[in-house]
Amino acid sequence: MDAEQTARVRAFNRTVTERVGVLHDRYLGRDRPVGEARLLWETGEQGRDVRWLRERLGLDSGYVSRLLRALEADGLVTVEAQPRDRRVRTVRLTDAGRAERAALDARGDELAGSLLEPLNPAQRARLVAAMTEADRLLTAATVALDVLDPAHPDGAHCLRSYAAELRERFGTGFDPARSLLPDPGELRPPRGLFLVARLHGDPVGCAGLKLPPGGPAEVERMWVAPGARGLGLGRRFLSELEARAARHGSTVLRLDTDKALTAAIGLYRAHGFQEVAAFNDEPYAQHWFEKRIAVSPAAR
């Protein structure tokens, strides 16, 4: 990691935490620290499951429980177990909690205004653009990639979403039964693997890798949720699958795609894939790509 980049990130963190007031126990001038305030805001009007709040905020269960107890003691939230599954607990705002959340929103608007007010219009535009870009990049850094069984609920969700989007985008529709898509068993070790991307605990993308003995590795079923596009997940999937194929001993990585997926075609080319003659009879493919990859020393 570059030392200068690390130092600049730390300097940015110090400036932000000081400027937005998270160093104080009374965040935004209210009688609670930033952790409690953020938990109130995330709970929202509809309420949230405790598990969702933990994953959304990246907090451990003990700390979230302490925050919730403090909010309950102040009469701002209720925490109730679900009748069908007592392990699932739902947090809801009380009337007092809604009033407190509204006050926090108003104070948040005031704080945002205080950040922008000293600047001239050009500086404000630069700051907002920089904050937008920083938010996008920090969100991208929050995404986790995990190897899952394709039958895992998060994996199944991604595969259903993948097929639904192809049905909408392909001019002839999309019928998985006509496609050469691999059986899920081919995306399980040792024949392959299946990656799922999660953002705040929610599945937002997937990509499979077939590892046939003695043959080229193949990228399969790569999909990114519309709301997560622009975070570089496609490139990240390809890099991760390439590294895993190289560790497996593969020297070629290949894939096929439909002509309607122009953004994906551009991504493949930018990642070093070269268009080649058809290597299968996939009915939904009009483009076939390959990339030579270096075998990982660990695979030799």
Side-chain angles (χ1 to χ4, degrees):
M1 192 68 65
D2 184 273
E4 177 63 22
Q5 289 180 331
T6 299
R8 288 182 178 275
V9 168
R10 294 188 62 188
F12 175 81
N13 289 344
R14 290 192 295 272
T15 299
V16 169
T17 53
E18 178 183 354
R19 192 67 182 87
V20 303
V22 299
L23 302 179
H24 305 289
D25 289 337
R26 301 165 71 90
Y27 180 62
L28 294 176
R30 308 299 289 177
D31 291 330
R32 64 198 72 265
V34 66
E36 293 179 17
R38 181 63 185 276
L39 201 58
L40 269 180
W41 194 87
E42 292 292 350
T43 297
E45 289 295 325
Q46 303 304 314
R48 292 289 187 180
D49 289 345
V50 173
R51 179 181 176 183
W52 185 94
L53 290 168
R54 288 201 310 265
E55 293 178 340
R56 175 67 184 86
L57 298 175
L59 301 175
D60 66 66
S61 59
Y63 184 53
V64 169
S65 293
R66 290 195 295 274
L67 294 177
L68 288 174
R69 284 198 296 270
L71 293 173
E72 279 188 291
D74 287 345
L76 302 180
V77 303
T78 61
V79 183
E80 300 175 352
Q82 293 298 302
R84 295 181 181 178
D85 187 346
R86 305 292 295 179
R87 295 170 299 177
V88 179
R89 296 182 301 148
T90 300
V91 183
R92 299 188 188 281
L93 299 179
T94 63
D95 289 342
R98 293 186 185 90
E100 178 69 8
R101 188 177 186 273
L104 286 167
D105 267 341
R107 294 290 181 88
D109 287 345
E110 291 173 8
L111 174 60
S114 74
L115 294 174
L116 296 171
E117 193 277 331
L119 306 177
N120 63 44
Q123 289 175 319
R124 292 175 189 172
R126 286 171 55 199
L127 179 58
V128 170
M131 285 180 164
T132 301
E133 179 68 359
D135 178 65
R136 186 182 70 83
L137 293 174
L138 288 171
T139 299
T142 302
V143 176
L145 297 187
D146 297 304
V147 177
L148 297 181
D149 189 288
H152 184 283
D154 288 350
H157 165 81
C158 289
L159 292 175
R160 288 193 300 271
S161 301
Y162 165 86
E165 180 165 345
L166 295 191
R167 280 194 293 271
E168 291 181 3
R169 298 189 63 181
F170 290 0
T172 58
F174 178 72
D175 179 1
R178 292 188 58 227
S179 173
L180 296 181
L181 288 174
D183 179 91
E186 296 182 84
L187 300 180
R188 298 185 178 107
R191 298 167 63 187
L193 60 91
F194 189 66
L195 291 175
V196 171
R198 291 188 178 107
L199 177 60
H200 305 310
D202 295 326
V204 294
C206 65
L209 182 68
K210 284 176 60 177
L211 297 167
E218 297 183 31
V219 177
E220 299 282 356
R221 304 195 188 200
M222 193 168 87
W223 171 81
V224 176
R229 290 170 192 172
L231 300 179
L233 284 183
R235 291 180 178 83
R236 189 172 169 190
F237 273 135
L238 291 176
S239 296
E240 182 68 18
L241 294 180
E242 181 178 328
R244 289 176 179 269
R247 289 199 294 272
H248 182 76
S250 301
T251 59
V252 175
L253 184 61
R254 67 187 188 184
L255 55 88
D256 59 68
T257 192
D258 188 277
K259 63 183 179 182
L261 304 180
T262 54
I265 292 170
L267 170 63
Y268 302 144
R269 288 176 171 149
H271 200 76
F273 283 85
Q274 302 292 320
E275 192 153 6
V276 296
F279 49 73
N280 61 25
D281 56 357
E282 167 61 58
Y284 294 106
Q286 295 84 37
H287 298 275
W288 290 260
F289 291 92
E290 285 188 350
K291 181 179 181 179
R292 296 285 172 178
I293 58 176
V295 175
S296 169
R300 294 172 182 164

